[in-house]
């Protein structure tokens, strides 16, 4: 199995032959490591996206204004540690979601599906959907809260908001994996950098990050709203009936630009997270592939 579009030099092919089970561990590890660095950006992004919920622009106070002012506001309200709020849940979510996502994508590559026209996009979307579904309970909160949700809302409560999470990760995963593979192959073709250099993956990740932020932000806003809305005793959301209802209400009551609320912090979080995740994943795959190659 190799990433689509990758050049077939012997060293490259050897180091890219990695079993799906290994990709599960490498993908989860790479994304968890990236999460440690980008979680403060996630905190700021979430607060910006929840600010002024279902209220017309100019009719609500705005304690969070722009990235740097928002960082300062979080520190004033919660202290420096407030920037790492939810890190445990973030690591759990990233590990579960991306472990499943990279495992499924690796299976698709191994089966040759990504070599078909549009195969990378489809494989990335399906892998992302499965990963989002498995990781959805972890996106709600840390383990202590999961127990409370289980008692009060039952099993279905653990998947509250999954209707927004699955489309969000589907489009993001499809964009990320397809553009990373294509961008990396294009950079290699230009021969600006040594083929095996980590800078190739870095460049591919930087190009991919722009596509990811562009397609994910509207779904990210919706997903944030669905997960954070108040619920009744049965676990039913009190503000939104689902993905479509949330999209319509945001569009009508806050305007279409509200779907890109927090775009700056969203890119500052999604961009570095995409770059670091893909870079760490690619480098870990090199090491794993070389280790397997040397052991044969």
């Amino acid at each position: 199995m190799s990433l689509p579009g990758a050049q077939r030099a012997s060293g490259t092919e050897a180091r890219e032959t990695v079993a799906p089970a290994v990709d599960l561990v490498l993908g989860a590890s790479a994304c968890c490591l990236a999460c440690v660095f980008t979680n403060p950006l996630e905190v700021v992004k979430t607060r910006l996206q929840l600010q002024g919920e279902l209220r017309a622009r100019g009719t609500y106070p705005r304690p969070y204004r722009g990235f740097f002012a928002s960082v300062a506001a979080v520190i004033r309200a919660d202290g420096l540690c407030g920037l790492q709020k939810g890190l445990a849940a973030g690591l759990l979510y990233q590990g579960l979601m991306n472990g499943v996502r990279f495992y499924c994508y690796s299976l698709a590559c191994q089966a040759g599906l990504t070599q078909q026209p549009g195969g990378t996009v489809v494989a990335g979307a399906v892998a992302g959907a499965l990963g989002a579904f498995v990781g959805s309970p972890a996106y709600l909160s840390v383990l202590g809260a999961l127990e409370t949700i289980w008692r009060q809302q039952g099993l279905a409560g653990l998947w509250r908001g999954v209707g927004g999470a699955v489309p969000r990760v589907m489009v993001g995963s499809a964009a990320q994996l397809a553009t990373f593979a294509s961008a990396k192959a294009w950079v290699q073709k230009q021969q600006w950098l040594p083929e095996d250099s980590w800078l190739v993956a870095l460049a591919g990740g930087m190009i991919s990050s722009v596509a990811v932020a562009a397609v994910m932000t509207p779904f990210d806003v919706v997903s944030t709203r669905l997960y954070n809305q108040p619920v009744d005793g049965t676990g039913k959301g009190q503000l939104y009936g689902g993905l479509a209802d949330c999209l319509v209400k945001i569009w009508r009551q806050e305007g279409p630009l509200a779907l890109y609320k927090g775009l700056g912090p969203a890119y500052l979080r999604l961009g570095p997270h995409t770059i670091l995740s893909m870079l760490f994943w690619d480098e870990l795959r090199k090491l794993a592939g070389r280790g397997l190659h040397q052991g044969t």
Side-chain angles (χ1 to χ4, degrees), residues 31-226:
C31 293
C32 283
L33 184 57
C35 180
V36 173
F37 294 99
T38 60
N39 190 67
L41 302 174
E42 175 73 13
V43 171
V44 172
K45 173 188 71 73
T46 299
R47 298 202 182 185
L48 278 166
Q49 290 176 343
L50 291 174
Q51 182 173 252
E53 188 170 13
L54 296 184
R55 297 177 65 179
R57 189 178 182 88
T59 63
Y60 56 87
R62 295 179 60 193
Y64 305 105
R65 293 173 176 268
F67 175 68
F68 293 108
S70 298
V71 170
V74 171
I75 294 174
R76 283 197 302 271
D78 302 318
L80 195 58
C81 292
L83 291 172
Q84 285 292 8
K85 270 191 172 181
L87 178 60
L91 291 173
L92 180 61
Y93 175 71
Q94 291 293 333
L96 285 173
M97 188 269 285
N98 285 295
V100 172
R101 185 168 73 97
F102 281 104
Y103 176 76
C104 293
Y105 183 73
S106 187
L107 285 176
C109 290
Q110 193 176 63
L113 299 179
T114 55
Q115 303 302 320
Q116 305 302 317
T120 306
V121 174
V122 174
V126 173
L130 292 171
F133 183 82
V134 172
S136 184
Y139 196 76
L140 280 173
S141 188
V142 292
L143 290 174
L146 294 181
E147 182 181 354
T148 302
I149 294 170
W150 175 281
R151 287 199 310 267
Q152 295 179 353
Q153 302 172 25
L155 182 63
L158 297 178
W159 272 269
R160 174 168 57 87
V162 72
V166 169
R168 170 184 176 272
V169 180
M170 276 185 70
V171 298
S173 180
Q176 182 192 64
L177 293 170
T179 56
F180 176 73
S182 301
K184 184 181 166 190
W186 179 77
V187 172
Q188 287 176 324
K189 185 178 179 181
Q190 304 309 308
Q191 297 183 341
W192 292 331
L193 302 165
E195 183 182 332
D196 232 18
S197 172
W198 62 272
L199 292 172
V200 174
L202 178 66
M206 291 175 69
I207 296 172
S208 177
S209 69
V210 177
V212 170
V215 302
M216 273 190 79
T217 297
F219 293 95
D220 201 38
V221 172
V222 170
S223 182
T224 299
R225 297 287 182 88
L226 290 175

